[in-house]
Amino acid sequence: MVGKTLSKLANPALFMRVSGPIVPIAGVLALLLIGAGTVMAYFFSPPDARQGEAVRIMYVHVPAAWLALQTYAVIAIASLVGFVWRHRLADVIAKVSAPFGLACTVLALMTGMLWGKVTWGVYWDWDPRLTSMLVLLFLYAGYIALWAAIENEATAARICALLAMLGAVNLPIIKFSVDWWDSLHQKATVIRTDGPAMPASMLWPLLLMAFGYMALSAFYTLIRTRSDLRARKAKPGESKAPSAAVMEPAE
């Protein structure tokens, strides 16, 4: 039942038809949200009482970190679908999402190091959150390298799917590391059971930037996926091959 449902949802022709109108909407949303968030963050948001103007790094660092985790979660879920039900579209989505996730991870680590120098006095400390984010960077890099190193695409998809699924264990470690171990990082200030622990003047630009990054992620992933599907269709004989469409789900 699940396999048949996914077969319908993961049909490349349906994906191309549905995603077409979404691409420009996602692109425009990304520009508007990131633009508005940047203006609010750097011109209307107040400096922090302790960190001063350096707190504005947060508006780049935090959304980048969130999207690094979210993108890897998307890759892991798509990899699970591709591995179990052999849906090529899921493999493609997982593959094309990785560079964006890697870029977000690098951005989160770099801005985090700058922020750490201001708040902690050092660029790097083997803090649990920092260390687990570094592991995420290696997972992204290894995933991308595996896709490039294995010539047979079906084999590459399955091996990379295994890596992605195993690497997903690191996501809750990143999220809850500040609660499980002594950490230089402060605990969650936005997603809390008792509500955000920051003023609205800081929260709104942060959320605008986060939603802007999400829209940018959707725009990038859809563009790359559509481009990959068009390239497959253009290959001689590819349209007749089972891998060009959705493969029959495993029972």
Side-chain angles (χ1 to χ4, degrees), residues 93-166:
I93 291 174
K95 178 183 178 181
V96 303
S97 299
F100 185 86
L102 177 63
C104 286
T105 306
V106 171
L107 182 60
L109 286 171
M110 296 299 293
T111 53
M113 290 170 64
L114 294 175
W115 202 3
K117 179 61 176 178
V118 174
T119 56
W120 306 333
V122 292
Y123 286 109
W124 184 266
D125 185 275
W126 292 103
D127 170 89
R129 173 67 62 80
L130 286 174
T131 304
S132 52
M133 280 297 292
L134 184 61
V135 171
L136 183 64
L137 176 69
F138 292 148
L139 285 170
Y140 271 122
Y143 181 85
I144 294 171
L146 269 179
W147 267 109
I150 302 174
E151 293 186 6
N152 185 283
E153 190 171 1
T155 302
R158 295 188 69 75
I159 294 177
C160 290
L162 286 173
L163 173 62
M165 289 186 287
L166 289 173

Side-chain angles (χ1 to χ4, degrees), residues 193-210:
T193 56
D194 56 348
M198 66 169 54
S201 57
M202 290 183 171
L203 178 62
W204 279 110
L206 180 62
L207 291 178
L208 284 174
M209 293 292 284

Side-chain angles (χ1 to χ4, degrees), residues 60-240:
V60 176
H61 171 74
V62 174
W66 285 349
L67 263 294
L69 271 65
Q70 176 185 296
T71 303
Y72 196 91
V74 169
I75 292 172
I77 294 171
S79 295
L80 175 63
V81 173
F83 189 87
V84 176
W85 289 284
R86 306 292 183 90
H87 288 303
R88 183 56 56 87
L89 180 58
D91 292 331
V92 172
I93 291 174
K95 178 183 178 181
V96 303
S97 299
F100 185 86
L102 177 63
C104 286
T105 306
V106 171
L107 182 60
L109 286 171
M110 296 299 293
T111 53
M113 290 170 64
L114 294 175
W115 202 3
K117 179 61 176 178
V118 174
T119 56
W120 306 333
V122 292
Y123 286 109
W124 184 266
D125 185 275
W126 292 103
D127 170 89
R129 173 67 62 80
L130 286 174
T131 304
S132 52
M133 280 297 292
L134 184 61
V135 171
L136 183 64
L137 176 69
F138 292 148
L139 285 170
Y140 271 122
Y143 181 85
I144 294 171
L146 269 179
W147 267 109
I150 302 174
E151 293 186 6
N152 185 283
E153 190 171 1
T155 302
R158 295 188 69 75
I159 294 177
C160 290
L162 286 173
L163 173 62
M165 289 186 287
L166 289 173
V169 174
N170 190 45
L171 298 184
I173 295 175
I174 296 173
K175 169 62 179 174
F176 298 109
S177 58
V178 295
D179 301 311
W180 293 343
W181 299 289
D182 291 332
S183 174
L184 293 174
H185 272 83
Q186 66 183 37
K187 297 185 183 298
T189 57
V190 178
I191 304 175
R192 294 158 44 104
T193 56
D194 56 348
M198 66 169 54
S201 57
M202 290 183 171
L203 178 62
W204 279 110
L206 180 62
L207 291 178
L208 284 174
M209 293 292 284
F211 284 121
Y213 277 44
M214 291 173 65
L216 182 61
S217 173
F219 176 77
Y220 173 87
T221 303
L222 290 175
I223 285 287
R224 287 290 309 277
T225 303
R226 288 171 61 84
S227 176
D228 187 283
L229 293 177
R230 280 195 294 265
R232 292 171 186 275
K233 189 175 180 180
K235 290 180 182 180
E238 185 77 9
S239 59
K240 298 180 181 179

